[in-house]
Amino acid sequence: MTEATSVFDRFTELAKRALAASREAAASLGNDYVGTEHQLIGLAEAAGTASEVLRAHGAEPAGLRAETTRQFEAYVQAHGDPVPRGQVAKDALSWLGIDVAEIQRRAGETFGPGALKYPRAHYSGRAKMVLQSSFRQARELGKQQVDTEHLLLGILETQGSATRVLAALGVDTQALRQSVLDRAT
Amino acid sequence: MSAGETPAVALAAQVTSKDPATGLRAVLELRRLLQELERLHVDNARAQGWSWENIASALQVSRQSVHEKHAGRRKAAGLENGHD
């Protein structure tokens, strides 16, 4: 192997697809960040051990999406709309005299609609913790690469929006964790 | 704040240009925009068969730095197949 090792080499193909699905889940729910709740939806929607175990415990993609939306709306009710980072970013550039919409329009003309993504959804602090935890989970289970089950273990270890969604759906997270471990060893 | 204006726009209008937070935020966002533009044009170059060597030379950076920055991402997205 001549190529430099990149962070992507630390994930299996299925895990990479699940992470891509979580980014899409965030976008389709209208969120401009990737949180643990989107990682959970991505894992449920993509193929892999995590998806199978989640379904076996009654956590289907549709149910996860509905509950995630419900909790987000409840948050907005209580705290107001989170500041739209995308607008703040565009305002900062417009202050410099840069018209992002125009740049995106020209990029779209040449390379197709939506070719220039800006601003890109960023990972929440907890979503980053999930990734770090998944590296540790894989290592402890003696695996070279992080697979979907390690990401799911990371989510279960990192208390956050995802574990709140699972709790609201009546999923027994202890039993879920045990099922993952049974499959992962 | 007139109708249709978002709070963020109103906020941006209120802060003065001497406020370092405004300028630094603009620099940060410009860097992020630049990163996205670089991804777009590196992808275009690769799609047109440019070598990493040629891309690095056009960007006036080392081949290693451009490869590190883009090869893994492109592989993960299924855009890189074969060797380079």
Side-chain angles (χ1 to χ4, degrees):
Chain A
M1 221 165 105
T2 54
E3 277 178 51
T5 339
S6 93
V7 67
F8 294 101
D9 296 327
R10 298 177 69 180
F11 294 99
T12 64
E13 277 309 311
L14 289 177
K16 283 183 214 169
R17 274 184 226 158
L19 291 174
S22 65
R23 205 170 256 290
E24 278 162 32
S28 68
L29 291 171
N31 296 133
D32 65 358
Y33 63 93
V34 178
T36 60
E37 64 273 39
H38 307 120
Q39 290 174 319
L40 182 62
I41 293 170
L43 282 174
E45 287 182 347
T49 304
S51 167
E52 288 164 22
V53 175
L54 281 167
R55 281 165 204 259
H57 282 261
E60 301 275 344
L64 292 172
R65 276 180 177 267
E67 180 56 25
T68 296
T69 303
R70 200 194 62 72
Q71 291 197 8
F72 184 74
E73 279 165 4
Y75 175 90
V76 170
Q77 281 267 309
H79 305 282
D81 252 320
V83 179
R85 207 183 72 89
Q87 194 54 52
V88 174
K90 286 174 182 174
D91 287 347
L93 288 177
S94 126
W95 179 80
L96 283 180
I98 293 172
D99 183 351
V100 176
E102 176 62 13
I103 295 173
Q104 284 175 316
R105 192 188 64 73
R106 291 185 190 196
E109 267 181 12
T110 314
F111 301 110
L116 183 66
K117 292 179 191 67
Y118 176 86
R120 183 171 290 269
H122 62 288
Y123 269 64
S124 73
R126 282 182 194 276
K128 285 181 197 159
M129 283 164 66
V130 166
L131 295 185
Q132 282 157 6
S133 169
S134 72
F135 291 135
R136 195 168 56 247
Q137 307 284 350
R139 201 166 52 238
E140 279 170 10
L141 292 165
K143 298 289 165 24
Q144 298 287 327
Q145 281 186 309
V146 171
D147 208 341
T148 62
E149 58 267 34
H150 309 123
L151 286 167
L152 183 52
L153 288 172
I155 284 175
L156 294 174
E157 193 190 63
T158 311
Q159 298 292 313
S161 299
T163 48
R164 280 197 295 278
V165 166
L166 287 171
L169 290 174
V171 175
D172 179 346
T173 50
Q174 287 300 325
L176 181 64
R177 185 170 177 280
Q178 194 52 54
S179 299
V180 179
L181 287 173
D182 290 345
R183 291 280 304 266
T185 43
Chain B
M1 188 167 135
S2 68
E5 230 177 8
T6 68
V9 171
L11 188 70
Q14 281 165 18
V15 292
T16 69
S17 56
K18 278 278 182 71
D19 182 353
T22 309
L24 293 173
R25 181 60 196 250
V27 171
L28 166 70
E29 293 303 338
L30 189 56
R31 189 164 63 223
R32 285 179 171 157
L33 179 64
L34 176 65
Q35 280 165 0
E36 296 305 327
L37 275 171
E38 184 174 311
R39 284 176 181 215
L40 178 64
H41 290 285
V42 166
D43 284 348
N44 179 47
R46 290 295 289 169
Q48 296 198 27
W50 280 42
S51 67
W52 290 112
E53 199 73 58
N54 284 345
I55 294 171
S57 158
L59 289 172
Q60 301 194 5
V61 294
S62 73
R63 182 196 176 283
Q64 191 192 0
S65 105
V66 78
H67 192 268
E68 258 172 30
K69 220 161 145 189
H70 297 285
R73 164 185 72 82
R74 288 180 47 80
K75 245 170 78 184
L79 295 170
E80 269 321 302
N81 33 30
H83 42 90
D84 48 316

